[in-house]
Amino acid sequence: MRPKVCFDIEYPVEAQAEARLKRKATAKREATAAKKSKPAKAKASKNDAPLNKHKQQKQPKYRSRRTTGIMKIRKHRREQQMKDEEEESRKRARKAGLGLDNLEGTIVAAPKDGDFFWEVAAVIGRRIRRNRVEYLIRWKGCSEEDNTWEPAANLCDSAMEEAMKYCKAEKLKAKKRADDEKKLFGDSSSEKKEVTAETSNEEKEDNTIVEANTSTKDVADNSITKAAKSDIAIDDNDCEDEEESLVVEDATLNWTDADQVIFREVKRINVNDPGAAAIVKEDRINGTPVVLVGHVGWANFAQRWLTEKKAETKEAPSDSHISTAELPHEKAKPSNGNVISLDLSTEKYELDIPKMIKDIGDEDVPVIKRNYDEVKPIHGTIPAAKFLSECWPSSESEAELQDSKKKGAKFYLHQWQFPLSDTAGGKLCHQNNPLPNGIMGEDLLKYWLDLPQCKLDSPLQYIFMGRTDTNSRLHKDPGGLEISIAPITGQKECVLVHRDDSRCLYHLTASLDEIDLQRFPLLSQARVYKTVIKPGEILLMPNGTYHQCRNVTPCLSYSRFHLDTVNLLPFVMSLVNGDAPEIEHRDVLWNLASALIKKVDEVVDLVQDRVLAYRNVTDVVTGDTRETVETLLALRNFIREVARRDEVNKAVKGPGDKSKEELKPELHDFGVLAADVDVCLHDYRYRESKEIPKLKSRKGKVLTNTLSKGVRKNCVGRDLNKFMIDNKPVVVFNSSLENNYMSLRNADVEKHYPLANKHKVGKALIGKLTIGDTLACRLEQKCVKAEVLEVVPQMKAAYISFEDYPSVYDEYQPFDLLRLPSGDEITHNDIKPGLVVLDFSNTNEYRAVVQSTIDGPMVRVKLIVSQHTLTRLVSPAMILGRYMGRWGSSGKKGSSDDSDGKKAAPGGIVSPSTTSDISDIAVEEES
């Protein structure tokens, strides 16, 4: 592939020539415009003699043709010179050993004089300046300040392809934005029609109301008098039976369903109090939500959007009036260095929408319908300026009017992940003041991505923005991460349920708004919390907490996910369970460990240099270094667990498809990473020694298949390649089932049962089976004898593959015996291929993955695998036919053909292709 070369300088000669041409063209345009602006002169008669014949010659046309010729010559010369310079730069690159011809997919730029090259990271912008198209280039290895605008003439063909790809992506983005706006806001013409129709209907209603008031006045007076007389009669009857109908209620107890569910208040902890760190850590471990107060600067990036309220509007709501006063930075509290921390607890700030539109108005933000459905929300992407101008109330008095008449009022800015934006991420990331040491550990998510705008800052940061009563349904966020919510303006009501009380929520069908203990009685036992958080407060929810939120007032809030040593275990278990595929757990662990190893190695090298130079080393190791080492110590055990699971999975399930492995060269080897962590910690442990001792590595027991060695007396030594299906081993460990499975004769199912799949023998035969019948069933690539124990006419079952066991153990299990890894029940509609489940069919819990599902007739059989028997469910596709004796139905030795002409297959199984009863079954099915 040809490398993409982009020259970023113009040569002096060509630049001067181009400037001259531009000046001449400008002068010509000005002269033409001046000529057109003058009034038309009267035409001269034929008798009038010209004053000067030379002036009437067509000199301008002659000069324009001459100029055009010069332009063509210079353009051709410039193109040829650029080609020559490009070829010269290639020769210099080859001479310098850069290997430009092998740099596939890279864009480089070179000056006219010099042997070094600049690699282009990406094309990130386009503009038209002075009738010339220019592209914004991000240079690899340079900061954002070094981005430059380059004209299209400086781009070669391959570099222009990248620019065209950027333009195409921008067009697609604009088209998607227009489609989303049309879907969310509707057509403007139809809106106008609706408005006119509404106004006409209101006028008609007003007229009918006026007419009705005059005609019904007398009727209303008569009805009032009749009602008064009837009330007097009822009161007389009540007085007569007052003693008999008196009801006395015990008011000391709570009798309604709503009173049975206790809404606990969330504990508030001041982060500056002594002992606050220990209390917060204990609550996080126990899964108890807390509200943190007393911290400033948590949402420091919002300073650019806020203004101080005016004195006369102090008692007004937070969104009552948009002031244009500047934020008083001199009154804010400084935190670290020159960074000013924003104290939102004073509630003296409000949003300045014009500032916000100017700052992030061009960003695309996700919006959904207010009070959205978690399953199928109405969502789309629109510009932030459109949302702020049409969906956000400019004043409290206009809020109700907009809610009733304006379509934009129905939408909610939901979960805008601003760190992933090139422009917004650079403005808003790295601005916040972290919590004090010990309250929460270092956010390990900052090592995940290496994006320039959010490097060493968490990419999982979000903005939420909605009107009053915007709410979400009760849900939990998977992934093993903790969540924090902090209002910037407005107030938010949060209802939380403890993570261990999921069974009391009945698959989230129980409502906390309309409590019904008749249908959901266990809801009364759930630990439910309810609180209203305001600016300056941070709600911290441990991993797995169920929550729903509602805006008490129009609210702008900031949320982020958090990972440290406290919730590393649920994070790794989320990796094992696969419940959050959008979070790349393996990449997070790999990049995190690599970054920590690098930091510790730098300290070890510095200490070693000082030790060898006989210098003091006490000031090298700081508190941050110790915290890093402690994090790496905790992380080592989780990396070992991931490596152990990878090793077991490779031994049990096989290497997988090699073609897929080749497509993923970046696949991480956690076994190697675990060894690197051990070496790093060992070097740090003996860092002050003049010579660091050698690490004695501890090697674990290698997982091998003992069946292939033939060491034991009764062990069958076989080539394991014969027992592979789809590159997955059928057997691995020396168990009773696997020994007996390997001792079976090999039987080619397609050869001996060619009609089993074609004529669907199992489906036709299953309706004629009775208890005690013997069948031939498929068990991997073997055909085994099976005795019918039960015929189930209809069953929903899943074919599951166990995590730490080979494929010979794969089996069907009913839906009712499957659970989520958390122990929760699963609705039948949620059981799909790829789901990680727990099998509760035995006293032990086995982790498995759903391979497929079936809803139809099943047969419970006893499989006879040599000397080993096991009970399993088999589907019609696993039934190959009826099982006959080794020597046929007659049982006579000496011939494989019996009196009916049935031919026995190897292992005493009759081939369906030559068996009359199986053929009859297939014919009956076809008829």
Side-chain angles (χ1 to χ4, degrees):
M1 180 178 177
R2 177 184 173 186
K4 307 167 186 177
V5 179
C6 166
F7 296 95
D8 67 331
I9 60 173
E10 296 180 358
Y11 305 109
V13 178
E14 300 302 329
Q16 294 173 5
E18 186 175 358
R20 286 196 300 271
L21 291 177
K22 287 182 179 179
R23 287 196 298 271
K24 289 182 179 181
T26 304
K28 184 178 179 181
R29 285 196 301 270
E30 291 177 353
T32 304
K35 185 177 181 180
K36 289 182 179 180
S37 62
K38 291 181 179 179
K41 295 181 179 180
K43 295 183 179 180
S45 61
K46 295 181 179 180
N47 299 328
D48 295 336
L51 299 176
N52 191 350
K53 294 183 179 180
H54 297 286
K55 291 184 179 180
Q56 291 186 357
Q57 295 178 358
K58 297 181 179 180
Q59 189 70 17
K61 286 188 177 181
Y62 176 73
R63 281 199 296 267
S64 65
R65 285 197 300 270
R66 182 180 178 183
T67 304
T68 304
I70 293 174
M71 289 177 63
K72 289 183 179 180
I73 294 173
R74 288 176 175 172
K75 182 179 180 182
H76 177 72
R77 186 187 304 166
R78 183 165 61 252
E79 291 177 354
Q80 186 63 34
Q81 193 168 1
M82 289 179 66
K83 291 181 180 179
D84 296 341
E85 290 295 336
E86 182 177 349
E87 185 63 28
E88 184 65 24
S89 66
R90 290 177 181 277
K91 291 180 181 179
R92 290 199 303 268
R94 295 190 190 98
K95 186 176 180 181
L98 296 178
L100 258 169
D101 294 333
N102 298 326
L103 295 177
E104 297 187 2
T106 58
I107 310 172
V108 297
K112 182 177 179 181
D113 298 324
D115 295 332
F116 59 94
F117 288 76
W118 296 297
E119 185 176 352
V120 176
V123 178
I124 59 175
R126 179 183 180 274
R127 71 179 182 184
I128 298 178
R129 181 64 60 88
R130 297 178 182 176
N131 295 327
R132 184 175 66 174
V133 178
E134 296 179 349
Y135 294 96
L136 183 60
I137 305 298
R138 175 185 290 165
W139 305 100
K140 189 171 183 179
C142 300
S143 62
E144 293 295 319
E145 290 77 11
D146 297 328
N147 297 344
T148 58
W149 289 95
E150 301 295 336
N154 288 5
L155 303 180
C156 68
D157 295 340
S158 51
M160 183 58 72
E161 290 178 4
E162 294 295 325
M164 291 300 101
K165 288 181 182 179
Y166 169 81
C167 295
K168 186 177 180 181
E170 289 297 314
K171 288 182 180 179
L172 292 176
K173 187 186 295 185
K175 185 177 182 301
K176 183 179 182 303
R177 179 189 294 179
D179 294 341
D180 288 342
E181 289 183 11
K182 187 176 181 180
K183 178 177 65 175
L184 294 169
F185 294 92
D187 197 0
S188 58
S189 60
S190 62
E191 254 184 70
K192 292 179 180 179
K193 293 180 181 179
E194 290 178 2
V195 171
T196 55
E198 287 178 2
T199 53
S200 61
N201 291 334
E202 289 176 359
E203 291 177 357
K204 292 180 181 179
E205 289 178 0
D206 293 339
N207 295 332
T208 54
I209 289 171
V210 172
E211 294 174 359
N213 285 338
T214 57
S215 61
T216 59
K217 184 176 180 181
D218 298 334
V219 177
D221 293 340
N222 295 333
S223 62
I224 290 173
T225 55
K226 291 180 181 179
K229 293 179 181 179
S230 62
D231 289 342
I232 293 172
I234 292 172
D235 290 340
D236 293 339
N237 295 331
D238 289 342
C239 292
E240 292 176 358
D241 300 332
E242 183 177 4
E243 295 180 357
E244 296 180 0
S245 61
L246 185 61
V247 178
V248 180
E249 181 183 1
D250 186 356
T252 59
L253 297 176
N254 297 324
W255 301 99
T256 62
D257 288 353
D259 294 333
Q260 298 296 316
V261 179
I262 302 174
F263 288 88
R264 298 168 172 83
E265 183 62 31
V266 180
K267 179 168 49 177
R268 278 167 167 74
I269 302 174
N270 193 315
V271 297
N272 301 313
D273 291 344
I279 297 174
V280 172
K281 183 176 181 180
E282 187 68 20
D283 288 335
R284 291 176 60 197
I285 294 174
N286 295 332
T288 305
V290 295
V291 174
L292 305 178
V293 297
H295 182 64
V296 295
W298 179 250
N300 231 25
F301 61 86
Q303 290 191 47
R304 57 203 310 125
W305 304 334
L306 299 178
T307 57
E308 189 174 2
K309 296 178 183 178
K310 291 184 178 180
E312 62 272 17
T313 59
K314 281 186 177 180
E315 298 180 358
S318 60
D319 59 333
S320 59
H321 179 71
I322 300 174
S323 173
T324 57
E326 295 296 330
L327 185 69
H329 294 300
E330 66 276 7
K331 295 182 181 180
K333 299 178 181 179
S335 59
N336 296 325
N338 297 324
V339 180
I340 300 174
S341 297
L342 178 64
D343 187 4
L344 295 172
S345 60
T346 58
E347 299 189 42
K348 61 181 180 180
Y349 302 122
E350 62 185 358
L351 277 179
D352 191 333
I353 298 300
K355 280 186 178 181
M356 204 169 181
I357 293 176
K358 184 178 179 180
D359 190 34
I360 60 170
D362 295 334
E363 300 291 335
D364 289 335
V365 296
V367 297
I368 61 176
K369 193 173 182 180
R370 290 174 56 190
N371 309 332
Y372 62 94
D373 185 359
E374 292 284 349
V375 181
K376 294 181 180 180
I378 300 176
H379 60 88
T381 302
I382 63 174
K386 187 175 183 66
F387 175 83
L388 293 172
S389 59
E390 299 187 16
C391 304
W392 185 257
S394 57
S395 65
E396 186 68 23
S397 59
E398 297 179 8
E400 296 182 0
L401 180 62
Q402 290 179 355
D403 283 344
S404 60
K405 292 188 176 181
K406 204 171 185 180
K407 285 190 176 182
K410 298 179 181 179
F411 297 104
Y412 173 38
L413 193 154
H414 178 262
Q415 208 166 353
W416 174 40
Q417 193 173 1
F418 60 83
L420 299 187
S421 171
D422 289 339
T423 53
K427 298 176 184 177
L428 307 181
C429 291
H430 305 285
Q431 302 294 324
N432 300 340
N433 185 23
L435 288 165
N437 291 333
I439 299 297
M440 294 180 71
E442 181 186 15
D443 192 355
L444 305 180
L445 291 173
K446 67 181 184 180
Y447 299 107
W448 178 8
L449 300 180
D450 195 18
L451 297 176
Q453 67 269 18
C454 64
K455 187 175 182 180
L456 294 181
D457 198 1
S458 173
L460 301 182
Q461 302 181 65
Y462 304 92
I463 291 292
F464 293 81
M465 196 171 183
R467 292 170 171 265
T468 304
D469 290 334
T470 301
N471 58 35
S472 63
R473 294 189 177 182
L474 188 66
H475 66 284
K476 77 170 181 178
D477 294 304
L481 301 174
E482 297 188 351
I483 308 173
S484 63
I485 301 176
I488 299 174
T489 62
Q491 298 181 359
K492 187 182 290 287
E493 178 189 76
C494 300
V495 179
L496 317 169
V497 181
H498 197 277
R499 63 191 179 193
D500 295 337
D501 295 340
S502 59
R503 297 183 181 181
C504 301
L505 300 177
Y506 295 89
H507 306 292
L508 299 179
T509 57
S511 174
L512 292 173
D513 298 324
E514 299 177 359
I515 298 173
D516 185 2
L517 297 184
Q518 186 70 22
R519 295 177 57 198
F520 312 109
L522 291 182
L523 186 59
S524 61
Q525 305 303 313
R527 285 166 287 181
V528 185
Y529 303 87
K530 188 174 184 179
T531 186
V532 176
I533 52 177
K534 57 184 181 180
E537 297 180 340
I538 305 170
L539 173 63
L540 180 60
M541 296 185 293
N543 61 282
T545 302
Y546 294 88
H547 57 281
Q548 68 180 29
C549 301
R550 181 182 67 86
N551 289 349
V552 179
T553 62
C555 182
L556 167 67
S557 61
Y558 165 61
S559 176
R560 67 182 292 161
F561 289 88
H562 183 82
L563 174 66
D564 58 13
T565 55
V566 174
N567 59 324
L568 262 178
L569 176 59
F571 180 78
V572 174
M573 294 311 298
S574 176
L575 164 65
V576 174
N577 299 333
D579 58 3
E582 67 277 4
I583 301 177
E584 299 172 353
H585 296 76
R586 299 179 69 92
D587 288 346
V588 173
L589 292 176
W590 184 274
N591 296 340
L592 168 60
S594 302
L596 296 183
I597 289 174
K598 183 178 179 181
K599 291 174 66 175
V600 175
D601 284 345
E602 291 175 354
V603 174
V604 171
D605 293 341
L606 181 58
V607 172
Q608 281 287 294
D609 293 341
R610 292 196 176 189
V611 167
L612 297 178
Y614 298 97
R615 296 171 59 191
N616 186 17
V617 297
T618 56
D619 58 338
V620 177
V621 178
T622 61
D624 292 340
T625 305
R626 294 189 183 90
E627 184 179 354
T628 301
V629 174
E630 291 176 357
T631 303
L632 194 58
L633 278 169
L635 187 63
R636 175 176 61 176
N637 299 320
F638 295 106
I639 294 175
R640 286 174 176 173
E641 174 61 18
V642 176
R644 185 194 70 82
R645 287 181 176 273
D646 289 347
E647 183 182 4
V648 172
N649 186 65
K650 186 176 180 180
V652 174
K653 300 300 182 183
D657 190 358
K658 293 183 179 180
S659 61
K660 293 182 180 179
E661 295 293 331
E662 293 173 358
L663 294 176
K664 293 183 178 181
E666 72 279 4
L667 190 64
H668 304 312
D669 187 349
F670 277 82
V672 176
L673 182 62
D676 291 343
V677 173
D678 290 339
V679 173
C680 175
L681 294 176
H682 176 79
D683 293 345
Y684 179 82
R685 182 179 181 180
Y686 299 101
R687 65 187 180 279
E688 296 185 8
S689 302
K690 289 186 178 180
E691 183 178 355
I692 298 178
K694 185 178 180 181
L695 173 64
K696 297 180 181 179
S697 59
R698 296 178 296 174
K699 295 183 179 180
K701 185 178 180 181
V702 181
L703 296 174
T704 57
N705 194 326
T706 57
L707 298 176
S708 62
K709 296 181 178 179
V711 178
R712 296 176 54 186
K713 182 178 180 180
N714 297 327
C715 184
V716 181
R718 294 176 181 268
D719 184 8
L720 292 183
N721 294 327
K722 297 180 179 179
F723 300 94
M724 300 286 286
I725 296 179
D726 297 331
N727 290 329
K728 296 180 181 180
V730 180
V731 293
V732 172
F733 305 112
N734 193 359
S735 66
S736 173
L737 172 61
E738 295 168 5
N739 273 322
N740 287 279
Y741 176 84
M742 293 185 67
S743 65
L744 292 176
R745 291 177 179 270
N746 289 330
D748 191 341
V749 176
E750 296 297 333
K751 178 180 178 181
H752 299 295
Y753 289 87
L755 302 180
N757 294 328
K758 182 178 179 181
H759 295 289
K760 300 180 181 178
V761 174
K763 186 176 180 181
L765 183 62
I766 197 170
K768 301 183 179 181
L769 295 177
T770 59
I771 298 176
D773 290 350
T774 55
L775 301 173
C777 295
R778 184 199 308 268
L779 181 62
E780 297 299 337
Q781 76 267 40
K782 305 286 188 179
C783 299
V784 298
K785 180 181 178 181
E787 180 182 347
V788 178
L789 301 178
E790 180 186 4
V791 179
V792 184
Q794 193 74 18
M795 175 183 287
K796 290 184 178 181
Y799 192 71
I800 57 178
S801 174
F802 294 95
E803 187 178 66
D804 297 333
Y805 291 87
S807 57
V808 72
Y809 291 93
D810 297 354
E811 62 179 351
Y812 280 102
Q813 284 295 346
F815 281 2
D816 297 335
L817 296 181
L818 302 179
R819 299 288 186 273
L820 290 174
S822 60
D824 299 342
E825 297 181 359
I826 317 175
T827 57
H828 290 183
N829 295 332
D830 294 337
I831 299 179
K832 298 176 182 179
L835 180 68
V836 179
V837 296
L838 292 181
D839 176 19
F840 281 80
S841 60
N842 205 332
T843 55
N844 298 324
E845 299 176 2
Y846 296 97
R847 188 184 298 271
V849 179
V850 176
Q851 302 294 335
S852 61
T853 58
I854 187 173
D855 185 5
M858 301 283 288
V859 182
R860 194 180 303 276
V861 299
K862 179 173 68 174
L863 297 178
I864 305 173
V865 186
S866 186
Q867 304 298 322
H868 188 90
T869 61
L870 67 155
T871 302
R872 283 191 179 177
L873 286 169
V874 296
S875 64
M878 299 173 65
I879 300 176
L880 302 174
R882 293 186 182 275
Y883 187 90
M884 307 300 293
R886 181 173 179 79
W887 309 111
S889 60
S890 61
K892 295 181 181 179
K893 186 177 180 179
S895 175
S896 60
D897 296 330
D898 57 8
S899 58
D900 295 331
K902 299 175 182 179
K903 186 176 181 181
I909 305 174
V910 177
S911 171
S913 61
T914 58
T915 303
S916 59
D917 56 348
I918 299 298
S919 300
D920 293 339
I921 292 173
V923 171
E924 289 176 6
E925 182 189 13
E926 292 176 356
S927 61

